[in-house]
Structure formats: C-alpha cells, structure tokens
Amino acid sequence: MIDDHRHRILQAAARVYTQHGWRGATTKRIAEEAGVNEVTLFRHFGSKEALLEQMIRDLAAAKADMRLPDAPAEPERELTAWAVAHHRETCGKRPLIRQMMSDFEERPDLVPCAVEGPNSAMTQLRSYVARLRDGGFMNDHLVLSAAELEAAISMFMGAVFADGMNRDVMPVMFTQPVDETLRAYVRIFLRGVHALPEPVLPGTARSATPTLTSTSE
C-alpha cells in the first residue's frame, strides 16, 4: 500500500507538473490527481520540492533497455537499438521535458535532478566507444584527438535528443522516417569514429594507408 501510494503520487505529480509547471503544481492539485489527501503526500515526501525533485529524478533515470552491452559485438545493431530506446523515451517525456526547460531559469536547482539520466547516458556511450577502440573495432590508421572523439559523441547524442524533442514541431528539418533517420545517425557516428568502413564511390579507389593532415602549426 505504501509503495502504491508513492507510485500514484509520483505519477500524479508528473501529470500536474507537465500541465501547470512548478508554480502551478500545488500539493493540493497533486493530491487530488493521485486520489489521496495532502497528509499522505507529505508523509511520503515531506514537501512539494522533495516530491517534484524525486519525480524528475525518477523520470530521468535510464531504463534497462537503454543500456549498451559491456562487450561490443555488432556496433551498428547495438547502437541503433540504444538510439531507438532513447528516442522513444524522449518522445514519451517530451511535454515534461519542455516544461522543465521553461522552469530551468527560475528553478536552477532542478538541473541536477533532470540531467542525471542524460549524464549517465553520455558516460555509458563514452565507455562503449572506449570498448570499441580496445576491441579493435576502430581503424587504427586514423587516430582521432580526444576533442574530436568527444565532439562525435556529443553530436550523436544531440542528434537523437533533438530529433525526439523537435520532430513533431519541425517537420521541415526531419523529413525522413524515424527508423531510417536513427540508423543514419548511427552509421554517420560510427563512420566518424572510424568504426564503420567508408563507402567507396563508383570509379574511385581508396588509399590503402590514409594520410592525416594537421591544421595546427
């Protein structure tokens, strides 16, 4: 019963917060939405601030199907499944995320709760890329700098997140089907970190030993 009340209150808090924002998500509204009295709400969470912070933290947490394998075997398939799971999660939480973004300037204390999931995903992706390198999946002839590798990881995550957040309101930007687009993000990323062979265009030959050039003096 205790766990049931807690779960109902957290779910109600998410619905009320999405609709009314931080100021409008009163304990009275949340309790009514959850079908409990305010005393029960305070008994479980102590305050509105603690309740909403826990709600945001729970919703930001990564789910089991959003984890990359410890031992890479098929990078394209594994990263595509991961991207699909993150995209689906982002789409499902889109109204809530938009509401949080609108409250961030006024409530900067929400940021640590909201970014726990994305930070965990970024750490997971960095570790996976390191395992790709250690496992021999990345072309040893082409060495990326730390800044280039970090930029590639950030761009990949940013593309998946932006697609999930904005596809519904920016159809001119996202013109291809979701599944095809996510696969394309993955292939472009893997190609960028040299874990996917470059395509050979008709009538061209690939150099057996790529030549690197530096832009720095």
Side-chain angles (χ1 to χ4, degrees):
M1 181 65 71
I2 291 176
D3 287 343
D4 180 60
H5 279 163
R6 184 180 178 84
H7 181 66
R8 283 164 51 197
I9 292 168
L10 286 167
Q11 287 190 318
R15 293 192 295 269
V16 173
Y17 175 80
T18 298
Q19 184 175 357
H20 299 285
W22 184 274
R23 292 190 179 185
T26 63
T27 54
K28 183 175 185 296
R29 276 178 170 161
I30 295 171
E32 289 176 350
E33 179 71 18
V36 300
N37 57 49
E38 286 185 86
V39 173
T40 300
L41 185 151
F42 285 117
R43 185 184 304 125
H44 281 279
F45 296 97
S47 68
K48 166 185 166 176
E49 287 74 16
L51 166 58
L52 292 184
E53 287 175 7
Q54 187 61 52
M55 177 271 294
I56 292 171
R57 185 175 289 109
D58 285 356
L59 289 174
K63 305 298 186 293
D65 65 344
M66 296 166 63
R67 301 188 183 282
L68 288 162
D70 293 332
E74 300 178 59
E76 185 175 346
R77 179 185 61 79
E78 292 159 0
L79 276 173
T80 298
W82 189 77
V84 167
H86 275 275
H87 188 276
R88 185 186 303 117
E89 188 80 359
T90 300
C91 290
K93 296 175 180 176
R94 192 158 47 202
L96 177 64
I97 295 171
R98 287 172 178 164
Q99 184 62 63
M100 285 192 294
M101 286 179 169
S102 72
D103 281 335
F104 276 171
E105 189 168 341
E106 184 179 350
R107 300 288 313 196
D109 52 304
L110 294 180
V111 174
C113 303
V115 301
E116 282 187 13
N119 284 348
S120 175
M122 180 67 85
T123 299
Q124 186 183 158
L125 183 56
R126 287 193 189 105
S127 297
Y128 182 80
V129 170
R131 295 194 294 274
L132 287 180
R133 183 188 58 229
D134 296 341
F137 288 94
M138 296 168 66
N139 192 330
D140 291 337
H141 293 295
L142 295 170
V143 180
L144 296 175
S145 69
E148 289 170 333
L149 193 57
E150 188 67 15
I153 292 170
S154 297
M155 289 170 66
F156 175 52
M157 284 206 61
V160 174
F161 179 77
D163 193 302
M165 285 299 298
N166 300 314
R167 180 173 282 266
D168 63 329
V169 295
M170 302 179 72
V172 173
M173 179 176 289
F174 304 99
T175 60
Q176 301 303 305
V178 173
D179 290 347
E180 291 182 24
T181 302
L182 293 176
R183 283 195 296 270
Y185 292 154
V186 170
R187 290 182 63 81
I188 291 169
F189 170 69
L190 288 174
R191 195 169 289 129
V193 299
H194 310 306
L196 190 72
E198 290 284 350
V200 178
L201 299 178
T204 65
R206 183 182 303 165
S207 171
T209 305
T211 301
L212 297 183
T213 59
S214 174
T215 58
S216 60
E217 297 296 335

